[in-house]
Amino acid sequence: MTHSRKIPLATGTLSISVNHAAWPLDDLCTFASRDNPRRAFLVVSKVLGRHIPVAPHIMRASFRDLAALIPVNLPGPVLVMGMAETAICLGQGVHEEMLRATGRNDITYLHSTRQELDAPVLCRFEEPHSHASSHIVYAPADMPPPRSLVIVDDEISTGTTISNLADAMRGVFPGIERIIAVTLADWSQGRDWGAAKGIVTVSLLSGSLHCDALPSLSPATAKASFDSAAVALGLMESHHNFGRLGRNDVADEGDAYADDLNLPPASRIRVLATGEFTYPPFRLAEKLAAMGHDVVVQSTTRSPVQLSEAIKSRLTFADNYSTGIANYAYNLDLNDGRITLICHETPLGSIDPDLVAQLDARLICFAPPEPIA
């Protein structure tokens, strides 16, 4: 049975229809207004741990349920790809659940990035509606050409970005036989965007979404969102491979930090990941929860979102990836009594001290960055 709803936003009205929901709409996502002349709404996930704090067991359940929708007999080798920045943790979690469920050893994880590395580039593609449209994909070392491609993103609105990545990857690997698009919410029903390219979509929720009467942003706001600084790529002069260069294993580096934190029993903890560095912090949060702590996870982001609807608060601070653009943390309750652990892959001293002071945070620098061979 189709469920329809109209959602008033500061930037207009969303009309949505839900045709199928393995997870109820209100458990999966909500909505907000974006400072973005290309797309002035944001689907705010309640399970990603990005704009809204989430308990790690809820994130794990979404990984597991999505992985269960992916055919187990995909021709191998299989390449699972997560979209930067929002779906990096989601993609890596789905990859881990695929390894557990299938027992296969021919499934590689790789995520796109907006960071420049001293490493061979596999391909580039565009996310046209984004505030930062350019993605880079680096070549995994010693990865055989994949026959199946699993692309993981948090939501699909038009299918354009998935199509762009699929085209870029087929340009590099013409032997790809199967492409599965995996997403929490697929809002592209009725568009039939993937059929011509043989792309099959699986999701926890599917339906359609339409924006009505969204006014244009002011010239000043549009310029702030889309000038050359806002779309800049970062430069990582040294780097530890958490997923940008491909992983065949589980990126469980976060597990080892839990025992050394000397936290009081049953502490209330906020694990704050940073930018594209999200999966090892999630694993840390999961380990801390298993030790009996009350833990939530979320991440900083470079995406500008208005203070309205699902966005109740916003902290603005300097980017730790040295792009020179503002970064944000949304819906942080500074009075909730949680111990904040800021996890980062960037060098010591890269986290804005004002953010650390506001959150009275402890910093965890994961695996000191190593030069790329």
Side-chain angles (χ1 to χ4, degrees):
M1 180 177 178
T2 300
H3 167 71
S4 298
R5 188 184 299 182
K6 289 191 179 295
I7 301 169
L9 301 175
T11 49
T13 301
L14 292 180
S15 299
I16 65 172
S17 294
V18 176
N19 301 328
H20 168 75
W23 285 43
L25 172 66
D26 292 331
D27 290 350
L28 199 62
C29 64
T30 182
F31 303 89
S33 302
R34 298 176 71 169
D35 288 331
N36 183 330
R38 298 173 186 170
R39 179 173 294 173
F41 68 91
L42 178 69
V43 179
V44 181
S45 172
K46 294 183 177 180
V47 303
L48 272 180
R50 179 66 63 169
H51 298 87
I52 294 176
V54 184
H57 74 272
I58 294 176
M59 297 175 67
R60 174 63 69 183
S62 71
F63 303 160
R64 188 180 303 117
D65 287 358
L66 273 178
L69 300 175
I70 301 170
V72 297
N73 61 346
L74 290 175
V78 178
L79 178 60
V80 179
M81 299 191 70
M83 293 279 200
E85 62 182 353
T86 306
I88 289 174
C89 185
L90 178 66
Q92 214 148 358
V94 168
H95 173 256
E96 180 182 347
E97 291 299 327
M98 289 178 68
L99 293 178
R100 287 179 175 174
T102 65
R104 295 175 61 158
N105 60 6
D106 64 343
I107 307 176
T108 298
Y109 178 71
L110 178 68
H111 69 77
S112 70
T113 180
R114 296 185 177 102
Q115 307 302 322
E116 294 185 307
L117 313 177
D118 183 14
V121 173
L122 185 66
C123 66
R124 298 173 185 264
F125 67 98
E126 294 294 312
E127 183 180 0
H129 70 269
S130 176
H131 59 285
S133 63
S134 297
H135 288 248
I136 305 172
V137 179
Y138 291 99
D142 303 321
M143 184 187 76
R147 294 171 61 200
S148 296
L149 181 63
V150 177
I151 300 175
V152 183
D153 207 356
D154 59 309
E155 56 103 5
I156 298 174
S157 296
T158 65
T160 301
T161 305
I162 299 284
S163 293
N164 288 348
L165 175 55
D167 290 345
M169 292 299 292
R170 274 189 164 141
V172 178
F173 299 116
I176 290 175
E177 301 169 24
R178 299 281 301 277
I179 300 180
I180 311 294
V182 180
T183 185
L184 296 169
D186 177 12
W187 299 107
S188 67
Q189 299 297 296
R191 293 180 179 271
D192 200 27
W193 59 272
K197 299 183 179 183
I199 301 173
V200 175
T201 300
V202 297
S203 63
L204 299 183
L205 179 148
S206 61
S208 60
L209 180 153
H210 176 72
C211 306
D212 290 311
L214 295 175
S216 299
L217 295 177
S218 69
T221 301
K223 183 178 187 303
S225 298
F226 283 87
D227 63 15
S228 59
V231 298
L233 297 172
L235 175 63
M236 299 187 72
E237 295 182 353
S238 60
H239 173 262
H240 183 88
N241 178 28
F242 294 107
R244 292 186 185 91
L245 301 182
R247 296 281 297 245
N248 294 303
D249 60 345
V250 174
D252 59 359
E253 288 86 346
D255 295 14
Y257 287 84
D259 291 326
D260 297 330
L261 292 174
N262 296 317
L263 297 165
S267 294
R268 303 184 72 240
I269 301 167
R270 174 188 299 109
V271 174
L272 185 63
T274 45
E276 294 182 357
F277 181 63
T278 49
Y279 193 69
F282 160 75
R283 288 287 306 230
L284 170 62
E286 198 170 42
K287 182 73 176 290
L288 291 171
M291 295 168 64
H293 299 293
D294 176 356
V295 188
V296 294
V297 188
Q298 65 185 112
S299 178
T300 66
T301 177
R302 57 189 284 170
S303 176
V305 189
Q306 291 188 19
L307 275 172
S308 61
E309 296 89 39
I311 304 301
K312 308 302 183 186
S313 68
R314 176 178 62 196
L315 296 180
T316 304
F317 44 91
D319 176 31
N320 60 303
Y321 289 96
S322 301
T323 60
I325 65 173
N327 271 214
Y328 309 94
Y330 297 103
N331 291 318
L332 289 176
D333 182 354
L334 301 183
N335 299 311
D336 62 5
R338 292 188 181 273
I339 299 168
T340 299
L341 307 175
I342 300 180
C343 303
H344 60 104
E345 62 175 336
T346 49
L348 294 171
S350 61
I351 303 298
D352 189 332
D354 288 340
L355 177 65
V356 178
Q358 287 187 75
L359 298 177
D360 190 23
R362 295 173 62 175
L363 298 178
I364 305 177
C365 182
F366 278 64
E370 302 167 358
I372 298 171

